[in-house]
Amino acid sequence: MPGPDKETDLTERVEAFLSDLKRGGSGAGPLRGSAETARETTALLRKITAQARWSSAGDLMEIIRKEGRRMTAAQPSETTVGNMIRRVLKIIREEYARSRGSSEEADQQESLHKLLTSGGLSEENFRQHFAPLKANVIEAINELLTELEGTTDNISMQALEHIHSNEVIMTIGRSRTVEAFLRDAARKRKFHVIVAECAPFCQGHEMATNLSKAGIETTVIADAAIFAVMSRVNKVIIGTQTVLANGGLRAVNGTHTLALAAKHHSTPLIVCAPMFKLSPQFPNEEDTFHKFVSPHEVLPFTEGEILSKVNVHCPVFDYVPPELITLFISNIGGHAPSYIYRLMSELYHPEDHEL
Amino acid sequence: MLLQQQRKRSRIVKMADSGVTDGNEKKGDIERAKNEGKELTKEEKQRLRKEKKQQKKSKEKKDDKAIQESGKETKGDSSAVSAPQPSTQSTAQKVPAPVSVPAPEAPTPAEKPPKSKAELKAERRARQEAERASKQSKKGDPGPQGAVSKSKAATNELQPVKRLPEHIQVDNPDVLKKLAKKLERQQTPGQNSAKKIPLRLDYGYKVSLFSHLHQYSRKAPLTQQLSIPSTVIHPAIVRLGLQYSQGIVAGSNARSIALLHAFKQVIRDYTTPPNEELSRDLVNRLKPYISFLNQCRPLSASMGNAIKYVKKEISNIPSQCKEEEAKRKLLFCIEWYIKEKIILAAKAIAESSIEKISDGDVILIYGCSSLVNHILCEALEKNRKFRVIVVDSRPRLEGREALRRLVQRGISCTYVLISAVSYILPEVSKVFLGAHALLANGYVMSRVGTSQIALVAKAFNVPVLVCCETYKFCERVQTDSFVSNELDDPDDLIVTRNGQTHLEHWQQEPPLGLLNLVYDVTPPDFVDLVITELGMIPCTSVPVVLRVKNVDQ
């Protein structure tokens, strides 16, 4: 029968995705870019919308929330999964509201007047059934997927506005967004790139080889030399894993040092981050912010005699406060860190911050 | 008097015209001086030659050709001059020494105002007889000590020109030529030019920002180019040079002590040749050794100061002293230097630092500094309760050595890489750093990465303490890590992870360069305190200490 087959097929897909997430994850495992994760999550959510059984928007949202909780639990550090789920939830809310006929702005405005007078609107339970809702939601998710596919190109298109000739640009580790950004600028301008290798994973090496293949003059330096060469750097351009709700970053380790050095020399720090990396998380959650990988990357097992007597830490991420950041470049343009909260309120609904 | 006036006149005349015929005039000058009965020593001739050269340069600053010409001239000149004067020159060996001195001086831009020359001349002549030997030794050492010794000599008189050390002028082809010629000439008497000190060649693509520095490969040590047996260089020095270039002996204290021990061996094996004075000959014997060591690995500031001390002691040996006694005296002086400046200083610094360590402290150290390790071990003996965080960085990974030593003594340690410093710093209460040298403008020159740690510590409001013995204080000034640094083998940055080596073929991709810096400078506003054996001083008091030391000596 087609029904149960579709359902088992769907659960299989979800399980496959979950195990993929658990095995992967940034740093040690096989590198899976955030863009890819975002696309796969969205595609999976579209499939769930299409194939799962639901009658009203509320049901759909419940199903998606349940699956979403499982997905974020599989790999907490991969925040793009959670972000995409929240985007889809927001889409569902919008489509529902549009089907009901009420305008979206009225829904979102939190004016004092609304707080005092309205009672019913906030107790929206999404129980009404609308026939075209499914088609609308799937169409909106398709639009989201198109947007996701074009993010890197949109960001690279802005490269020439920010890079002039004979500049020295510094970056750290490996970011596909920044790589595309710099290669696009290199088509028209000549500049020099310094890549900090970002131990212990040394992803900077791959970045440097890719950039040099594109004809850009590249230099690889050790992490320890970041401050030493910073005085000759004109701009620092980095990618990030997540953009936090306060405008800060959760980026690869070593980025905080880079940001401090740039601040000391008054060098602008530019972050290239597409919108799907924006997450409603705040940095105060001590337990969930940091992620650690095996300490043998730092102190290998060949140092066996002292291994048992020494504590070794290998954190993957760093927190960079928003005061050290000059500019965010995303697929919808450039913003200051102080504007991030506004963008977030447009992307996600406040009730979805906690899945 | 007449002679002096004549000289002044001829000098003024020379200043007015370009000096292609200078050589002949010089010769005439000297002949005249000899005929008038004034005893012209070899040093005076040297000085005259040097002055004239500097005059020429002040007019033709950027004229390389003229400098080269004058270089050739003086060589031709000196050989012509030395021939008719066998009385003043005992051996042919003396000729290379003065000629080699003008050669490295050639690229220096001369900025002496003409007026002071006359005063200087008079002063110098007055002091010449008394300080002949020490002047020669100070003038005779080229290279990084040049600037230091010159400024030291000038504390009581007008500031003469500071010599730019050769190892930061690699992009100037004239300097390289002069260096090659100098290495050819630095040989013991009687050897043919085939047995000379080899010139080490640069390796790999150099990042354009650092094109003025040498970059050597560890796989091509200098000793491969030495003939066997090498009678030019003492075997202890050859071994030392190899140990330096391969990184077996590393760290400024270790290098200085190894150098002084090698010098002791050289002195023990030394015999004065006939008709020679120990004080002058031994110094000349040491010159090629120092050039060789410089080629293996650029000398550190601590080594420079040690060499200056040894040369001064040698030249202060009175000429009537017997050889055995002189050697004994020198060995004793060197041992005293090691004991006082390094070992006892470390004890004194440890005592002061232990006051700064309180129970429950979490101390962060970077890399492997022998002094900081000593302090921590002493603090443990005095029963302070603390734990240590060791920060390390690629590609040298010296922190592992420090980690082994501390763990062996039973100190509880944590180990991270430098990129995790901002994660670990909230736990830290103090940062202890070692130094390679302390510069006269208050900057701390240390292993690359130290300035970064100081920066992040400042951002987290953690006090930074630098521990440094006073023999590492140096007269240089520097504001960034570019002008004077050391480039290590770039292949060290290559690493294989997950079976992939991305940078393996970096030489075949022309736009790709690898940069392996060794040192960096930390600005004084990041450092809260410097602990020396003279006490705890702020960073900015370094020139005061230098001045006090000069007055003492």
Side-chain angles (χ1 to χ4, degrees), chain B residues 235-273:
Chain B
I237 302 278
V238 175
R239 186 180 66 181
L240 187 65
L242 195 58
Q243 283 173 334
Y244 282 165
S245 68
Q246 300 301 102
I248 300 171
V249 173
S252 55
N253 276 345
R255 282 166 75 188
S256 307
I257 294 180
L259 177 72
L260 290 170
H261 280 302
F263 275 177
K264 272 167 59 177
Q265 189 62 40
V266 168
I267 289 175
R268 274 192 217 109
D269 294 339
Y270 171 74
T271 45
T272 324

Short mmCIF file of all heavy atoms in Angstrom, two decimals, chain B residues 235-273:
data_model
loop_
_atom_site.label_atom_id
_atom_site.label_comp_id
_atom_site.label_asym_id
_atom_site.label_seq_id
_atom_site.Cartn_x
_atom_site.Cartn_y
_atom_site.Cartn_z
N PRO B 235 87.21 22.32 15.42
CA PRO B 235 86.12 21.34 15.37
C PRO B 235 85.02 21.57 16.39
O PRO B 235 83.86 21.24 16.13
CB PRO B 235 86.84 20.00 15.62
CG PRO B 235 88.22 20.33 15.98
CD PRO B 235 88.52 21.70 15.54
N ALA B 236 85.38 22.13 17.53
CA ALA B 236 84.30 22.41 18.50
C ALA B 236 83.32 23.42 17.92
O ALA B 236 82.11 23.33 18.15
CB ALA B 236 84.90 22.94 19.80
N ILE B 237 83.85 24.36 17.17
CA ILE B 237 82.98 25.37 16.57
C ILE B 237 82.15 24.76 15.45
O ILE B 237 80.97 25.10 15.27
CB ILE B 237 83.81 26.55 16.05
CG1 ILE B 237 84.62 27.17 17.18
CG2 ILE B 237 82.95 27.58 15.38
CD1 ILE B 237 83.86 28.13 18.03
N VAL B 238 82.74 23.87 14.70
CA VAL B 238 81.98 23.21 13.62
C VAL B 238 80.81 22.45 14.21
O VAL B 238 79.67 22.53 13.74
CB VAL B 238 82.89 22.26 12.82
CG1 VAL B 238 82.07 21.51 11.79
CG2 VAL B 238 83.98 23.02 12.13
N ARG B 239 81.13 21.73 15.30
CA ARG B 239 80.05 20.96 15.93
C ARG B 239 78.97 21.89 16.44
O ARG B 239 77.77 21.62 16.29
CB ARG B 239 80.64 20.14 17.08
CG ARG B 239 79.64 19.20 17.70
CD ARG B 239 80.23 18.41 18.81
NE ARG B 239 80.60 19.27 19.91
CZ ARG B 239 81.16 18.85 21.02
NH1 ARG B 239 81.45 17.59 21.16
NH2 ARG B 239 81.46 19.70 21.98
N LEU B 240 79.40 22.99 17.05
CA LEU B 240 78.42 23.93 17.58
C LEU B 240 77.55 24.51 16.47
O LEU B 240 76.33 24.62 16.60
CB LEU B 240 79.18 25.06 18.29
CG LEU B 240 78.33 26.05 19.06
CD1 LEU B 240 77.66 25.36 20.20
CD2 LEU B 240 79.19 27.18 19.56
N GLY B 241 78.19 24.87 15.35
CA GLY B 241 77.42 25.42 14.25
C GLY B 241 76.39 24.44 13.73
O GLY B 241 75.25 24.81 13.44
N LEU B 242 76.77 23.19 13.66
CA LEU B 242 75.82 22.18 13.20
C LEU B 242 74.68 22.03 14.20
O LEU B 242 73.51 21.91 13.82
CB LEU B 242 76.56 20.86 13.02
CG LEU B 242 75.82 19.81 12.21
CD1 LEU B 242 75.52 20.35 10.84
CD2 LEU B 242 76.67 18.57 12.10
N GLN B 243 75.03 22.07 15.49
CA GLN B 243 73.98 21.94 16.49
C GLN B 243 73.00 23.11 16.40
O GLN B 243 71.80 22.95 16.57
CB GLN B 243 74.59 21.89 17.90
CG GLN B 243 75.19 20.55 18.23
CD GLN B 243 75.94 20.57 19.54
OE1 GLN B 243 76.42 21.62 19.97
NE2 GLN B 243 76.05 19.43 20.17
N TYR B 244 73.52 24.30 16.13
CA TYR B 244 72.64 25.45 15.99
C TYR B 244 71.73 25.29 14.79
O TYR B 244 70.53 25.49 14.86
CB TYR B 244 73.46 26.74 15.78
CG TYR B 244 74.08 27.31 17.01
CD1 TYR B 244 75.07 28.27 16.91
CD2 TYR B 244 73.69 26.91 18.28
CE1 TYR B 244 75.66 28.81 18.02
CE2 TYR B 244 74.27 27.45 19.39
CZ TYR B 244 75.26 28.41 19.26
OH TYR B 244 75.85 28.95 20.36
N SER B 245 72.33 24.94 13.65
CA SER B 245 71.53 24.97 12.43
C SER B 245 70.49 23.86 12.41
O SER B 245 69.46 24.00 11.78
CB SER B 245 72.40 24.92 11.19
OG SER B 245 73.02 23.65 11.10
N GLN B 246 70.75 22.76 13.12
CA GLN B 246 69.75 21.70 13.14
C GLN B 246 68.78 21.86 14.28
O GLN B 246 67.87 21.05 14.42
CB GLN B 246 70.44 20.32 13.27
CG GLN B 246 71.39 20.01 12.15
CD GLN B 246 70.71 20.01 10.80
OE1 GLN B 246 70.82 20.97 10.04
NE2 GLN B 246 69.97 18.98 10.53
N GLY B 247 68.96 22.86 15.12
CA GLY B 247 68.02 23.08 16.20
C GLY B 247 68.24 22.18 17.40
O GLY B 247 67.38 22.08 18.26
N ILE B 248 69.41 21.55 17.47
CA ILE B 248 69.67 20.68 18.62
C ILE B 248 69.91 21.53 19.85
O ILE B 248 69.47 21.21 20.94
CB ILE B 248 70.88 19.77 18.33
CG1 ILE B 248 70.58 18.91 17.10
CG2 ILE B 248 71.20 18.89 19.51
CD1 ILE B 248 71.77 18.16 16.61
N VAL B 249 70.63 22.61 19.67
CA VAL B 249 70.81 23.55 20.77
C VAL B 249 69.95 24.76 20.45
O VAL B 249 70.19 25.47 19.48
CB VAL B 249 72.29 23.97 20.88
CG1 VAL B 249 72.45 25.08 21.90
CG2 VAL B 249 73.13 22.78 21.27
N ALA B 250 68.93 24.97 21.25
CA ALA B 250 68.01 26.08 20.97
C ALA B 250 67.65 26.77 22.28
O ALA B 250 67.72 26.16 23.34
CB ALA B 250 66.75 25.56 20.30
N GLY B 251 67.26 28.03 22.18
CA GLY B 251 66.97 28.78 23.40
C GLY B 251 68.17 29.66 23.70
O GLY B 251 69.31 29.23 23.60
N SER B 252 67.93 30.93 24.06
CA SER B 252 69.05 31.86 24.08
C SER B 252 70.07 31.53 25.17
O SER B 252 71.28 31.63 24.94
CB SER B 252 68.56 33.30 24.23
OG SER B 252 67.74 33.42 25.36
N ASN B 253 69.62 31.06 26.33
CA ASN B 253 70.59 30.71 27.37
C ASN B 253 71.44 29.53 26.94
O ASN B 253 72.67 29.53 27.09
CB ASN B 253 69.86 30.34 28.67
CG ASN B 253 69.54 31.57 29.48
OD1 ASN B 253 70.07 32.63 29.22
ND2 ASN B 253 68.65 31.42 30.44
N ALA B 254 70.78 28.52 26.39
CA ALA B 254 71.52 27.32 25.98
C ALA B 254 72.54 27.67 24.91
O ALA B 254 73.68 27.19 24.95
CB ALA B 254 70.54 26.26 25.47
N ARG B 255 72.12 28.50 23.96
CA ARG B 255 73.06 28.85 22.90
C ARG B 255 74.25 29.62 23.43
O ARG B 255 75.40 29.37 23.03
CB ARG B 255 72.33 29.67 21.84
CG ARG B 255 71.48 28.82 20.92
CD ARG B 255 70.52 29.66 20.12
NE ARG B 255 71.18 30.37 19.05
CZ ARG B 255 70.59 31.28 18.30
NH1 ARG B 255 69.35 31.59 18.52
NH2 ARG B 255 71.25 31.89 17.34
N SER B 256 74.00 30.56 24.34
CA SER B 256 75.13 31.33 24.88
C SER B 256 76.08 30.45 25.65
O SER B 256 77.30 30.55 25.51
CB SER B 256 74.62 32.43 25.80
OG SER B 256 73.66 33.19 25.18
N ILE B 257 75.53 29.58 26.48
CA ILE B 257 76.41 28.72 27.29
C ILE B 257 77.20 27.79 26.38
O ILE B 257 78.41 27.59 26.58
CB ILE B 257 75.58 27.94 28.33
CG1 ILE B 257 74.98 28.91 29.33
CG2 ILE B 257 76.44 26.91 29.03
CD1 ILE B 257 74.15 28.24 30.39
N ALA B 258 76.55 27.24 25.37
CA ALA B 258 77.27 26.35 24.45
C ALA B 258 78.38 27.11 23.74
O ALA B 258 79.49 26.61 23.55
CB ALA B 258 76.29 25.77 23.43
N LEU B 259 78.08 28.35 23.36
CA LEU B 259 79.09 29.16 22.68
C LEU B 259 80.28 29.40 23.59
O LEU B 259 81.44 29.27 23.18
CB LEU B 259 78.46 30.49 22.27
CG LEU B 259 79.40 31.48 21.60
CD1 LEU B 259 79.74 31.01 20.21
CD2 LEU B 259 78.77 32.85 21.53
N LEU B 260 80.01 29.75 24.85
CA LEU B 260 81.11 30.05 25.75
C LEU B 260 81.94 28.81 26.03
O LEU B 260 83.17 28.88 26.14
CB LEU B 260 80.56 30.67 27.04
CG LEU B 260 80.02 32.08 26.82
CD1 LEU B 260 79.26 32.57 28.04
CD2 LEU B 260 81.16 33.04 26.53
N HIS B 261 81.27 27.67 26.13
CA HIS B 261 82.05 26.44 26.33
C HIS B 261 82.93 26.15 25.12
O HIS B 261 84.09 25.71 25.26
CB HIS B 261 81.11 25.26 26.59
CG HIS B 261 80.61 25.21 28.00
ND1 HIS B 261 81.46 25.13 29.07
CD2 HIS B 261 79.38 25.26 28.51
CE1 HIS B 261 80.75 25.12 30.18
NE2 HIS B 261 79.49 25.20 29.87
N ALA B 262 82.39 26.39 23.93
CA ALA B 262 83.20 26.16 22.73
C ALA B 262 84.39 27.11 22.71
O ALA B 262 85.51 26.74 22.34
CB ALA B 262 82.34 26.34 21.49
N PHE B 263 84.18 28.35 23.13
CA PHE B 263 85.28 29.30 23.18
C PHE B 263 86.33 28.85 24.17
O PHE B 263 87.53 29.00 23.95
CB PHE B 263 84.76 30.68 23.56
CG PHE B 263 84.25 31.47 22.39
CD1 PHE B 263 83.69 32.72 22.57
CD2 PHE B 263 84.33 30.98 21.10
CE1 PHE B 263 83.22 33.44 21.50
CE2 PHE B 263 83.86 31.69 20.02
CZ PHE B 263 83.30 32.94 20.24
N LYS B 264 85.88 28.30 25.28
CA LYS B 264 86.86 27.80 26.25
C LYS B 264 87.73 26.73 25.63
O LYS B 264 88.95 26.71 25.82
CB LYS B 264 86.13 27.24 27.48
CG LYS B 264 85.85 28.30 28.52
CD LYS B 264 84.90 27.89 29.60
CE LYS B 264 85.33 26.70 30.39
NZ LYS B 264 84.33 26.44 31.46
N GLN B 265 87.08 25.85 24.87
CA GLN B 265 87.86 24.79 24.20
C GLN B 265 88.85 25.40 23.23
O GLN B 265 90.00 24.96 23.14
CB GLN B 265 86.87 23.87 23.48
CG GLN B 265 87.48 22.61 22.91
CD GLN B 265 88.07 21.75 24.00
OE1 GLN B 265 87.49 21.61 25.08
NE2 GLN B 265 89.22 21.20 23.75
N VAL B 266 88.41 26.40 22.48
CA VAL B 266 89.29 27.06 21.52
C VAL B 266 90.49 27.66 22.24
O VAL B 266 91.63 27.53 21.81
CB VAL B 266 88.52 28.15 20.75
CG1 VAL B 266 89.45 29.03 19.96
CG2 VAL B 266 87.50 27.51 19.83
N ILE B 267 90.22 28.29 23.36
CA ILE B 267 91.33 28.94 24.08
C ILE B 267 92.30 27.90 24.62
O ILE B 267 93.52 28.08 24.60
CB ILE B 267 90.75 29.81 25.22
CG1 ILE B 267 90.05 31.03 24.60
CG2 ILE B 267 91.83 30.26 26.16
CD1 ILE B 267 89.34 31.88 25.59
N ARG B 268 91.72 26.79 25.09
CA ARG B 268 92.62 25.74 25.61
C ARG B 268 93.54 25.22 24.52
O ARG B 268 94.71 24.93 24.77
CB ARG B 268 91.81 24.58 26.17
CG ARG B 268 91.41 24.78 27.59
CD ARG B 268 90.86 23.50 28.20
NE ARG B 268 89.77 23.84 29.09
CZ ARG B 268 88.50 23.60 28.85
NH1 ARG B 268 88.15 22.97 27.77
NH2 ARG B 268 87.57 23.98 29.71
N ASP B 269 93.00 25.09 23.31
CA ASP B 269 93.80 24.51 22.23
C ASP B 269 94.66 25.53 21.53
O ASP B 269 95.36 25.21 20.58
CB ASP B 269 92.87 23.85 21.19
CG ASP B 269 92.14 22.67 21.78
OD1 ASP B 269 92.64 22.14 22.80
OD2 ASP B 269 91.09 22.29 21.23
N TYR B 270 94.59 26.77 21.97
CA TYR B 270 95.26 27.82 21.22
C TYR B 270 96.72 27.92 21.62
O TYR B 270 97.06 27.79 22.80
CB TYR B 270 94.53 29.13 21.51
CG TYR B 270 95.21 30.35 20.98
CD1 TYR B 270 95.20 30.63 19.62
CD2 TYR B 270 95.85 31.22 21.84
CE1 TYR B 270 95.81 31.75 19.13
CE2 TYR B 270 96.47 32.35 21.35
CZ TYR B 270 96.44 32.60 20.00
OH TYR B 270 97.04 33.72 19.52
N THR B 271 97.56 28.13 20.60
CA THR B 271 98.96 28.47 20.91
C THR B 271 99.30 29.72 20.13
O THR B 271 98.94 29.85 18.96
CB THR B 271 99.91 27.35 20.45
OG1 THR B 271 99.53 26.95 19.14
CG2 THR B 271 99.88 26.17 21.39
N THR B 272 99.98 30.63 20.82
CA THR B 272 100.34 31.88 20.14
C THR B 272 101.41 31.61 19.10
O THR B 272 102.44 31.05 19.43
CB THR B 272 100.91 32.88 21.15
OG1 THR B 272 100.20 32.73 22.36
CG2 THR B 272 100.72 34.29 20.67
N PRO B 273 101.17 32.01 17.88
CA PRO B 273 102.25 31.87 16.89
C PRO B 273 103.38 32.83 17.23
O PRO B 273 103.17 33.81 17.94
CB PRO B 273 101.59 32.25 15.56
CG PRO B 273 100.23 32.70 15.87
CD PRO B 273 99.95 32.51 17.30
#
